[in-house]
Amino acid sequence: MKITRRNAILTAGAGAAAALLHRPSWSDVVGANEKVNVAWCGVGNRGPRIIENFEKSGIANFVAFCDVDPENKHINGTKEKFPKARIFQDWRKMLDDMDKDIDAVVVLVPDHSHFPITMAAMAAGKHVYTEKPLARTFQEIELMIGAAKRHGVATQMGNQGYSGDNHFQFKALKEAGVMNKVTHVDAYMNKWRRWHPWGDLKAMPTGETAPATMDWDLWHSTTPLHAFSKKFHPGDWRGWYQHGTGCFGDWGAHVLDSIHSFLELGMPEKISATKMVQPNDLIFPLATTINFQFPERNGLPAMDIDWYDGVDNLPPLPAEFAGRELDTKQPGKFIYAGDTVFQGGSHAHTLQALDSEKAKALEEKGIPTKFGTNSDHYENFLLACRGDEETRSPFSVSGPLSQVLALGCLAQRLGGELLFDRETKQITNNAAANALLKDTPRKGWEQYYAL
């Protein structure tokens, strides 16, 4: 049998497979002013729009597109737009056949498939842009953080607001000492979306047939195989424990990213589900409130975060907010920093001090409000592939944030209070929850956990 990347991963021992895959790739010779050869995994739903965002940089050369349904309505337009790019149904074959033609891989597939694609790409020496959150389970994220460090590739998570003004503003506020007294954050996402539309489910849906052009088995990736349903695909996988991370995993990365990074939060020591509406064994609750408690860190005070999701599940409003109306259709947050309360949104939206006098005092301190022209999240990643910049949300930064999201999802799933040991990275008071920090991959997918 010919030794290829794909069958090496599938048949070799972990050490041998990693050694075979981690050989110099074409990306090792990419230099300044060169375009980055990009392979794309997942061209459904938001795929074409994100492709356009990468295209705006002017330095992405799309060499391949991969989708488990290579005839879906989204990819057909992409084929016409990039006629020279090769089309694949199986990402393993794409990585195998196009090794020397790929510098970077974009992973835009359902959450449950992030892990194996990202791990295999990094082991092959490819730079990787993976959507948020990095993966579904704490263990998978831990392995991704370690692999990124070992393989020395550029990595970026798709919390694109982290390259916007919110990032630079929060950094400036922290450096000015304004954010050194944060003791509490209320964050929320209350718009109805696709995380909980099916009521109180008792069993997985059955009775439907997958599209003839789709590889339904491959779609499951490392997770157990089950019957096809439009309640999973296209797009509605987010609300299922097996496949997604619910509202919190979907939006927490856009609301809490700067808070987690610049306040050096790391892992919480306690996570509590203080409210659960219609808990279910298969899908995320209709509404939840989760509390995260963080200890003192590097001179920063102990603090906690309350997360609210579900329609009409709103945080208490600060006294300084009196006379204003909260836009419940948009996600947001209130940050209690000493005697100053800030209100913010998601993504790149900047913070505003609610008290006008305190806002004026901050302005008089000379804290910048304009941050110049910076690369956006997509260009930042491509420039990092060329060695021109460092990514702003590498796995070393976005991984721990994603792990906090994974812990919150466990609390939403199981309820109650979870105690987390920040040193051993184990849940100490709930054996069932601790077991769910990792998944048992289905047969044939174990090797990606050993790369």
Side-chain angles (χ1 to χ4, degrees):
M1 178 175 65
K2 179 184 175 182
I3 301 294
T4 66
R5 169 171 295 96
R6 184 182 180 191
N7 62 44
I9 294 177
L10 294 175
T11 62
L20 178 62
L21 291 175
H22 192 46
R23 60 181 186 267
S25 75
W26 192 250
S27 59
D28 295 328
V29 297
V30 171
N33 303 317
E34 295 291 334
K35 287 197 172 185
V36 180
N37 288 342
V38 177
W40 198 279
C41 294
V43 198
N45 200 12
R46 295 174 64 245
R49 181 156 59 92
I50 305 303
I51 290 169
E52 288 180 1
N53 289 335
F54 272 92
E55 193 179 9
K56 289 175 184 176
S57 69
I59 58 175
N61 178 39
F62 298 101
V63 297
F65 295 97
C66 181
D67 197 281
V68 293
D69 184 356
E71 298 298 329
N72 77 65
K73 64 180 181 180
H74 303 284
I75 200 172
N76 284 333
T78 302
K79 292 175 186 177
E80 295 177 7
K81 189 174 184 179
F82 303 100
K84 294 182 180 180
R86 292 183 62 182
I87 305 298
F88 293 86
Q89 185 171 40
D90 191 325
W91 56 268
R92 296 167 296 186
K93 181 171 175 57
M94 180 183 72
L95 286 177
D96 184 43
D97 287 1
M98 298 195 65
D99 175 32
K100 292 183 179 180
D101 299 312
I102 295 173
D103 302 318
V105 177
V106 175
V107 182
L108 204 72
V109 296
D111 293 353
H112 70 271
S113 293
H114 287 184
F115 173 76
I117 303 174
T118 303
M119 291 292 284
M122 289 191 292
K126 312 305 177 189
H127 309 297
V128 187
Y129 179 105
T130 300
E131 263 297 352
K132 50 77 199 167
L134 285 189
R136 285 174 51 252
T137 70
F138 192 96
Q139 175 216 25
E140 287 179 338
I141 300 163
E142 189 78 2
L143 293 172
M144 292 164 80
I145 296 169
K149 183 177 181 180
R150 286 196 308 277
H151 297 303
V153 294
T155 59
Q156 183 97 299
M157 186 174 80
N159 53 327
Q160 60 266 34
Y162 200 66
S163 285
D165 282 353
N166 175 55
H167 169 92
F168 296 104
Q169 181 202 34
F170 209 110
K171 183 174 184 290
L173 288 169
K174 171 69 183 306
E175 290 173 347
V178 176
M179 286 296 179
N180 291 344
K181 298 179 181 179
V182 176
T183 55
H184 181 70
V185 172
D186 282 325
Y188 56 92
M189 172 57 171
N190 304 108
K191 183 179 177 181
W192 183 94
R193 288 190 68 174
R194 60 183 54 167
W195 309 289
H196 36 61
W198 302 296
D200 191 14
L201 288 176
K202 303 300 181 185
M204 295 287 248
T206 59
E208 298 178 64
T209 303
T213 54
M214 181 183 190
D215 189 334
W216 179 239
D217 184 280
L218 179 60
W219 184 88
H220 288 75
S221 187
T222 64
T223 71
L225 187 66
H226 57 70
F228 174 83
S229 171
K230 291 179 181 178
K231 288 184 170 68
F232 302 114
H233 177 86
D236 283 339
W237 45 268
R238 290 189 184 277
W240 298 86
Y241 297 137
Q242 179 172 331
H243 301 296
T245 52
C247 178
F248 183 51
D250 193 12
W251 278 90
H254 291 312
V255 179
L256 298 174
D257 47 4
S258 293
I259 292 169
H260 185 270
S261 174
F262 291 115
L263 298 186
E264 305 173 51
L265 291 181
M267 295 302 110
E269 55 187 6
K270 184 161 70 171
I271 313 102
S272 305
T274 59
K275 178 178 181 177
M276 297 177 67
V277 177
Q278 195 175 287
N280 189 278
D281 291 336
L282 300 172
I283 58 175
F284 284 90
L286 193 62
T288 57
T289 303
I290 326 165
N291 177 261
F292 301 83
Q293 295 188 19
F294 298 89
E296 293 183 6
R297 313 153 317 280
N298 300 324
L300 298 171
M303 62 169 286
D304 71 328
I305 297 174
D306 281 318
W307 168 267
Y308 299 79
D309 65 31
V311 179
D312 297 327
N313 185 30
L314 295 168
L317 298 178
E320 294 88 340
F321 196 74
R324 311 180 201 196
E325 185 176 349
L326 187 67
D327 182 358
T328 59
K329 293 183 179 180
Q330 300 299 326
K333 59 208 169 201
F334 295 104
I335 301 174
Y336 294 80
D339 62 356
T340 304
V341 182
F342 292 91
Q343 182 186 16
S346 69
H347 293 75
H349 292 286
T350 54
L351 302 170
Q352 302 294 327
L354 289 177
D355 183 281
S356 59
E357 292 300 318
K358 291 185 171 63
K360 183 178 180 181
L362 292 176
E363 185 178 334
E364 291 173 351
K365 276 189 174 184
I367 298 172
T369 56
K370 303 293 183 182
F371 305 100
T373 301
N374 298 283
S375 58
D376 68 19
H377 212 53
Y378 313 101
E379 185 181 19
N380 174 235
F381 170 68
L382 295 170
L383 290 171
C385 294
R386 299 196 323 193
D388 298 338
E389 292 188 0
E390 293 184 0
T391 53
R392 299 188 186 97
S393 191
F395 292 179
S396 59
V397 171
S398 54
L401 168 63
S402 295
Q403 288 179 315
V404 172
L405 302 179
L407 291 173
C409 289
L410 277 185
Q412 290 178 315
R413 181 173 182 174
L414 300 176
E417 179 180 286
L418 303 177
L419 301 180
F420 190 78
D421 188 315
R422 287 161 51 98
E423 297 297 324
T424 65
K425 298 182 180 179
Q426 297 288 301
I427 295 170
T428 59
N429 69 325
N430 187 318
N434 196 58
L436 287 172
L437 290 176
K438 61 181 181 180
D439 271 348
T440 301
R442 66 175 171 137
K443 187 175 180 180
W445 293 85
E446 306 91 342
Q447 59 278 358
Y448 298 102
Y449 294 79
L451 283 178

